[in-house]
Amino acid sequence: MFRLRPAGRRWPFATRAALCMGVPVLAGWAASDVTAGLMATIGAFTALYGSERPYLNRAVYLAVIAISFAVAVTLGVWAAELPLMIVPTVVLISMVATFLCNALRVGPPGAYMFALACAAGTAMPVGHLTLLQIGLLVFGGGVFAWLAHMAGAFVSPRGPERAAVAAAARAVARFVETADTPGADSARHNAALAMHESWTVLVTHQPARPRPDGTLSRLRAINRELNLIFVSIINAAAGPSLSIVAERARSLAAQAMDASADMEHTDPGHVPLGHYGFLESLKGNLRPWSPPLLVAARVGIATFIAGVIGAVLDLERAYWTMAAAVLMLHQGLDWVRSLQRGVERMSGTMVGLILAGAILAIHPEGLWLVLTLMLIQFTIEMTVIRNYALAVVFITTAALTIAAGGHPVPDVGHMLWVRGTDTFIGCVIGLAVLVMTTPRTAAVRIPQELVNTLAAVRTVLDLTAGGDVTHGAARQARRDLQHRTIVLLQAYEAAVGATPWHRDAAERAWPAVVAAQRLAYRVLATCWSLENAQAGAAPEMARTLFGPDGRENAGHALAILSRAIHAGARPAPLSPVPEFLSTEMQNLHGSLVYAGERPVE
């Protein structure tokens, strides 16, 4: 709570968010309807999404976000006319937004803003506006945010792609620098994740047939070289000086940001697939007990309870209670991080109420209101990554200022008391629902994800044994294995951050998680080595690596390990496996004595 974290270059993003907040209010003031302008600021929250996406993909993405805000607010205002529909409507919007934002990897602020928009719509003083006018106002705020977000395309059309590749290069350089140190596993995963994200920007978020402007092809070539550096470190073939390799990675970061040389082309077969697309992500998460569905169910339960309590206690602005409950749960954080988020939210809210009270008492109007909201929004975006509790001070101030609708507040003290009470109730409900819906053993996902990772390893090895790692099925298998390594670590982090009485099994599984990740990265590194082999040499190289029975022996060994993980017991001895897999296989075999409820004696 008391530490400022690094946040990078935030002022351009913060300036854009402030502008998008202020212009709708300025337009409302010019039209003598500040309330309408404040309504449009909800659509302006579109500016908070999609900053890392390429501009063409961002255009569609932000349009959907803007429309979603308009629909959420309109439904909230409609529900306010039918009191019995308020809670079901907010619950439905919260659950749908939570599932989609988690399944489709919509980054912060995620589902919370959509739930807040709908909930706030149930209490807004907009009786002079029709539902159509309300929807158009919110959409208008979203359109302005869309224009502000897309303006960068005129300055640096490939700016997001360059930034993603540069970030991957810096992560690879850090991995090289930490090789053979205790921090190597973490640095390796961060580098792999950064490269996966950069390939997502360079492939998944691009059209099926991107415009051959040279820049995209050159960035893909740089990213490919980063992969080869990553592979050389895993294969211990980087040479005597790691500092030279790290410097090369950092120079690639500089090249990615240099627009003076963009005429290199890459072989399409050497471009890996990025993250799952829209349909694949939905299909993969629309299955029983998937994390996004579980998080959406928790949000639905908490929001319903918060709404009912608000109605029973006759809270004046019960939507704050429901929004606070959503905030606690919508990201699917574990118990430790959720508890921290709750403490930060409450402490920040208490201080924010004092600042909000001062602003509401002054009651800025006209241009002063515009400048006040812009300054608050700018401060929020400058502090939200550095320190969430500090940002909540200004988030609370902005929410109360907007909720006042530009009108004087007759009893500021009462409004602040109600806000504090509602926030406290909502946070407590969210945390209580998280505890009650946490599985009996929070680490139950780890064994399943270990098995899933080994199954993905086997699929890749079956295809790799033939030496062809660039055709469609092989590229998909490699993408799936990369995805499984990420999900495996996420499962561990969720379990180890659970309540103390659920944490022991997860901590005992850590050696197996690390060993499985090392095995996965070894297999992926082998694929990159085969891909980089001279034309026609890959099949012979694969035969040398696997030997006559290597594929079958590796599959048999993986089956033994998977059965042991299912049983939570010591695995049977492994049969001989290809030499390039031997160390990682044996390490995983040895680590599984910790996978059960207690170490095997």
Side-chain angles (χ1 to χ4, degrees), residues 201-446:
V201 172
L202 296 175
V203 180
T204 308
H205 292 165
Q206 299 293 335
R209 292 183 175 85
R211 182 171 59 88
D213 61 356
T215 304
L216 180 60
S217 186
R218 176 169 175 75
L219 292 172
R220 287 175 171 179
I222 292 174
N223 223 43
R224 174 176 166 75
E225 184 174 347
L226 290 172
N227 273 106
L228 295 177
I229 291 175
F230 182 80
V231 168
S232 71
I233 299 300
I234 291 180
N235 290 335
S241 178
L242 292 177
S243 61
I244 295 176
V245 181
E247 184 59 32
R248 174 57 183 165
R250 295 193 185 281
S251 71
L252 289 175
Q255 289 182 33
M257 301 304 292
D258 183 6
S260 61
D262 288 328
M263 295 305 294
E264 188 172 343
H265 294 278
T266 50
D267 182 345
H270 291 169
V271 177
L273 303 178
H275 194 273
Y276 294 130
F278 176 80
L279 294 179
E280 290 174 304
S281 295
L282 284 183
K283 181 180 178 180
N285 288 290
L286 280 172
R287 53 181 174 78
W289 305 109
S290 72
L293 278 179
L294 178 60
V295 174
R298 284 176 178 158
V299 165
I301 294 170
T303 309
F304 177 77
I305 294 173
V308 170
I309 289 178
V312 170
L313 298 180
D314 195 25
L315 299 179
E316 293 181 25
R317 296 180 181 269
Y319 77 88
W320 281 336
T321 306
M322 293 186 283
V326 174
L327 179 67
M328 289 294 97
L329 300 172
H330 76 101
Q331 288 179 292
L333 301 178
D334 54 58
W335 166 255
V336 172
R337 287 182 292 177
S338 295
L339 181 60
Q340 178 182 345
R341 177 59 55 92
V343 172
E344 290 173 335
R345 184 73 187 186
M346 284 305 306
S347 58
T349 296
M350 295 303 103
V351 178
L353 291 176
I354 299 174
L355 178 59
I359 291 176
L360 293 175
I362 297 173
H363 181 51
E365 297 181 277
L367 293 178
W368 286 111
L369 177 60
V370 173
L371 292 174
T372 299
L373 286 173
M374 289 180 66
L375 179 61
I376 293 173
Q377 189 63 38
F378 179 86
T379 308
I380 290 172
E381 302 309 326
M382 290 296 293
T383 57
V384 69
I385 294 179
R386 292 185 177 276
N387 187 291
Y388 181 72
L390 180 60
V392 170
V393 173
F394 301 97
I395 292 172
T396 300
T397 304
L400 286 170
T401 304
I402 293 173
H407 303 296
V409 177
D411 190 344
V412 174
H414 175 71
M415 183 178 184
L416 300 182
W417 169 258
V418 169
R419 171 65 188 236
T421 302
D422 291 347
T423 300
F424 176 78
I425 293 173
C427 289
V428 170
I429 290 172
L431 292 173
V433 168
L434 178 61
V435 171
M436 291 186 294
T437 58
T438 297
R440 180 177 58 84
T441 302
V444 70
R445 278 185 61 206
I446 296 178

Side-chain angles (χ1 to χ4, degrees), residues 199 305 469:
W199 281 122
I305 294 173
V469 294

